[in-house]
Amino acid sequence: MATGSSATLFSPSMSSSAIDDASSPYFLHHSDSPGLILVSQPLTGENYTSWSRAMLIALSVKNKVCFVDGSVPRPEGTSPNLNFWIRNNNIVISWILNSISKEISASVIYSDSAHEIWIDLKDRFLQRNGPRIFQLRRELMNLTQGQMSVSSYFTKLKSIWEELNNYKPVCTCNHCTCGGIKSISNHYHMEYVMSFLMGLNESFSQIRGQLLLMDPIHPINKVFALISQEERQRNITTVHGNSGGEETMAFVVKNNMSKVNPVQISNRN
């Protein structure tokens, strides 16, 4: 998340008008109280990756990321901005303390800056890539629908997959012209869909087979929508004593396939 832009807006020689500029990191909205809770789930230690991500998003909205990443350091003692910095720093410290467990809060409450607290929490709770990737891969491998609804199963798989995605290397040169990045992205998407379909209960085997025949394969959200539609259809037919639900949904999927590539579907049939 880019934070340097806010830091470049100000220098130690700036006047008190900085607090009146909404684009300034020193600006405080009337709703920016010390009791504000920025994230719904407090930091407990195990959830550092998701917690820090949520906090950075919330802090970026408040234009206060610069106080945790250190890009706006404490001004010198003679700077007119010192009091502004102290006020904002303490506000951000309060928000952090409101967003972590009481046990963790007790260990950082005497820190002097939000940046110091942020680095402390990162050093303590951010797991190294190797062990965390291994843990997530194992969770993904062992994840099956079981007694969960399709929606609950997909939500759990998505949370694991999205965190794994954060560890995936990305190209930042912006000069790739061979199309390799697109191929890698398509392969990654296919693995996502395959992981979802593999964990489904065997009762979805017929519609799963139909989805796997599609070329190109549907986006993950479309696949989820079709499986959810099948689940709802079964619930309806169960209530009304109709046993033709799966055949009906299979027809819907097959009809969808014909819209994607009628010639290929005809050849396969």
Side-chain angles (χ1 to χ4, degrees):
M1 185 176 297
T3 59
S5 58
S6 60
T8 59
L9 294 173
F10 299 93
S11 66
S13 62
M14 302 194 93
S15 67
S16 61
S17 62
I19 63 173
D20 299 320
D21 183 357
S23 64
S24 164
Y26 292 140
F27 175 80
L28 288 173
H29 191 267
H30 63 80
S31 64
D32 293 337
S33 67
L36 189 63
I37 299 176
L38 297 184
V39 296
S40 58
Q41 296 296 325
L43 174 66
T44 58
E46 295 294 328
N47 62 335
Y48 175 80
T49 301
S50 57
W51 174 85
S52 61
R53 170 66 176 164
M55 281 293 293
L56 287 174
I57 292 172
L59 288 170
S60 71
V61 173
K62 298 291 186 180
N63 198 19
K64 295 293 184 286
V65 174
C66 53
F67 288 94
V68 297
D69 69 7
S71 57
V72 174
R74 180 188 178 101
E76 297 296 330
T78 58
S79 170
N81 287 338
L82 178 60
N83 288 336
F84 305 150
W85 185 91
I86 292 175
R87 184 185 181 195
N88 280 269
N89 175 69
N90 288 340
I91 282 285
V92 176
I93 287 178
S94 297
W95 291 345
I96 295 175
L97 294 177
N98 295 339
S99 303
I100 60 182
S101 68
K102 293 181 179 180
E103 294 78 9
I104 299 174
S105 174
S107 69
V108 296
I109 194 170
Y110 295 107
S111 299
D112 293 327
S113 71
H115 176 57
E116 182 181 337
I117 294 176
W118 191 260
I119 295 300
D120 184 356
L121 296 176
K122 181 179 180 180
D123 289 343
R124 273 195 277 169
F125 299 114
L126 179 62
Q127 298 186 36
R128 294 294 175 255
N129 289 4
R132 183 54 179 163
I133 292 174
F134 177 82
Q135 181 183 3
L136 291 170
R137 285 288 185 185
R138 183 164 58 182
E139 289 179 16
L140 188 64
M141 181 179 66
N142 294 330
L143 180 62
T144 55
Q145 180 187 354
Q147 299 300 316
M148 291 185 287
S149 66
V150 170
S151 179
S152 297
Y153 161 64
F154 177 70
T155 299
K156 191 167 185 178
L157 180 139
K158 183 176 174 64
S159 66
I160 298 173
W161 195 268
E162 292 297 331
E163 186 175 347
L164 270 174
N165 190 41
N166 288 331
Y167 296 107
K168 185 180 69 171
V170 295
C171 176
T172 57
C173 71
N174 296 321
H175 297 296
C176 298
T177 59
C178 66
I181 292 179
K182 183 177 180 180
S183 297
I184 293 173
S185 178
N186 290 340
H187 181 75
Y188 180 80
H189 158 69
M190 183 182 69
E191 285 188 329
Y192 194 176
V193 174
M194 293 299 177
S195 294
F196 173 62
L197 293 177
M198 285 173 62
L200 288 171
N201 291 339
E202 283 305 309
S203 58
F204 291 99
S205 59
Q206 184 171 349
I207 183 174
R208 177 169 56 200
Q210 296 284 354
L211 289 168
L212 290 172
L213 288 174
M214 293 183 177
D215 187 14
I217 199 162
H218 274 323
I220 183 64
N221 287 336
K222 178 66 174 178
V223 172
F224 166 67
L226 289 169
I227 298 294
S228 295
Q229 185 179 348
E230 163 74 356
E231 184 182 48
R232 288 193 298 271
Q233 178 67 28
R234 291 183 184 185
N235 291 337
I236 293 172
T237 55
T238 298
V239 171
H240 295 283
N242 186 343
S243 62
E246 185 164 327
E247 289 76 7
T248 301
M249 189 58 205
F251 174 78
V252 171
V253 175
K254 189 170 184 179
N255 185 54
N256 197 307
M257 291 172 62
S258 65
K259 293 178 181 179
V260 175
N261 197 332
V263 175
Q264 279 193 333
I265 300 301
S266 176
N267 292 336
R268 284 178 178 151
N269 291 338

